[in-house]
């Protein structure tokens, strides 16, 4: 049994915890409902840098989860928020339409004029020109910020596909510069953003995820409780903890 005394909110990882690809994990919607009925506020957070929070919200809705938009945290959303609060109002973005949409929605220009930072997310169309343009901006003194450092991600059949970290490695490999800021897990920026926006302290939040290196490491750095879910001990069994 896990004591939920003083736990006010649970932050669920998505991939491998709530769903696999487009398939909800058995028992996810029922578990979320059960926790909400216990008075626990439920949040969702993902390193996914290709989708807006609206897109993730719609996906979860489509899986039968009852949620509100402001409970969804993606690394694309958090990156846009970081740029806004850091006054990086014009950026060069290597990333998906979802990331660009989040940046523009936060008032960050992606028109490549007076660029202050190079933003790197997962980009399915990365090419030599984009890396060369990023390099030029770094030469001119721009900051290098990436959505997360995930080297790869698994798809059907266990094949690994290059992740956001691979995009950044292509750029940093071309120029001797450290990354100035990493937004996603296991860094604590996203969970701090959640805590600050909703008025929680670290002792109020429980993190649930399927990655030791990402979810649980982030929870440890933040100083909150965490639970690791696995295929044999999934979100369905997790309900029995309470
Ligand atoms: Mg996961």
């Amino acid at each position: 049994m896990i004591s939920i005394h003083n736990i006010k909110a649970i932050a669920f990882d998505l991939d491998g915890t709530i769903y696999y690809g487009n398939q909800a994990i058995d028992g996810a919607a029922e578990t979320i409902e059960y926790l909400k009925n216990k008075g626990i506020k439920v949040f969702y957070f993902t390193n996914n840098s290709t989708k807006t929070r609206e897109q993730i919200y719609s996906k979860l809705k489509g899986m039968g989860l009852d949620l509100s938009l402001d409970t969804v945290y993606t690394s694309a959303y958090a990156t846009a928020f970081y740029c806004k609060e850091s006054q990086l109002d014009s950026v060069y973005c290597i990333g998906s339409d979802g990331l660009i949409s989040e940046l523009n929605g936060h008032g960050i220009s992606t028109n490549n004029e007076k660029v202050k930072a190079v933003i790197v997310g997962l980009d399915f169309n990365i090419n030599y020109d984009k890396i060369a343009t990023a390099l030029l901006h770094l030469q001119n003194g721009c900051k290098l910020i990436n959505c997360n450092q995930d080297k790869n991600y698994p798809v059907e059949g266990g094949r690994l596909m290059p992740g956001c970290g691979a995009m950044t490695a292509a750029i940093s490999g071309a120029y001797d510069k450290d990354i100035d800021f990493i937004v996603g897990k296991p860094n604590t920026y996203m969970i701090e953003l959640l805590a600050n926006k909703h008025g929680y302290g670290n002792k109020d939040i429980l993190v649930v995820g399927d990655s030791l290196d990402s979810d649980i490491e982030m929870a440890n750095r933040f100083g909150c409780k965490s639970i690791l879910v696995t295929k044999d001990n999934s979100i369905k069994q997790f309900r029995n903890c309470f």
Side-chain angles (χ1 to χ4, degrees), residues 110-137:
T110 50
N111 291 333
N112 304 328
E113 290 165 3
K114 296 183 181 171
V115 170
K116 293 179 180 170
V118 173
I119 307 297
V120 185
L122 182 56
D123 188 333
F124 300 114
N125 298 304
I126 192 167
N127 59 33
Y128 191 87
D129 269 357
K130 288 185 181 182
I131 297 169
T133 305
L135 183 56
L136 177 64
H137 289 305

Side-chain angles (χ1 to χ4, degrees), residues 13-17 185 209-211 215:
D13 165 57
L14 292 179
D15 248 309
T17 303
K185 301 177 281 185
D210 69 325
S211 167
D215 306 313

Side-chain angles (χ1 to χ4, degrees), residues 1-3 240-242:
M1 289 287 283
I2 289 161
S3 168
N240 300 330
C241 296
F242 293 86

Side-chain angles (χ1 to χ4, degrees), residues 5-6 32 34 43 71 78 105-106 114 134 142 179 205 213 223 232:
H5 187 59
N6 291 337
I32 300 300
Y34 175 84
F43 294 90
T71 61
H106 283 77
K114 296 183 181 171
C142 286
I179 300 166
I205 301 174
D213 294 339
D232 295 329

Side-chain angles (χ1 to χ4, degrees), residues 125-197:
N125 298 304
I126 192 167
N127 59 33
Y128 191 87
D129 269 357
K130 288 185 181 182
I131 297 169
T133 305
L135 183 56
L136 177 64
H137 289 305
L138 295 179
Q139 271 189 296
N140 289 336
C142 286
K143 288 183 182 303
L144 177 59
I145 293 159
N146 76 341
C147 291
N148 64 70
Q149 271 292 69
D150 295 350
K151 292 188 179 85
N152 52 53
Y153 61 96
V155 293
E156 286 79 6
R159 180 179 173 181
L160 296 176
M161 301 298 284
C164 187
M167 317 286 122
T168 317
I171 296 160
S172 56
Y175 193 62
D176 191 17
K177 178 171 172 42
D178 290 334
I179 300 166
D180 290 289
F181 193 71
I182 302 164
V183 175
K185 301 177 281 185
N187 279 3
T188 55
Y189 183 76
M190 276 204 292
I191 194 92
E192 283 171 20
L193 188 59
L194 185 162
N196 291 338
K197 276 191 172 239

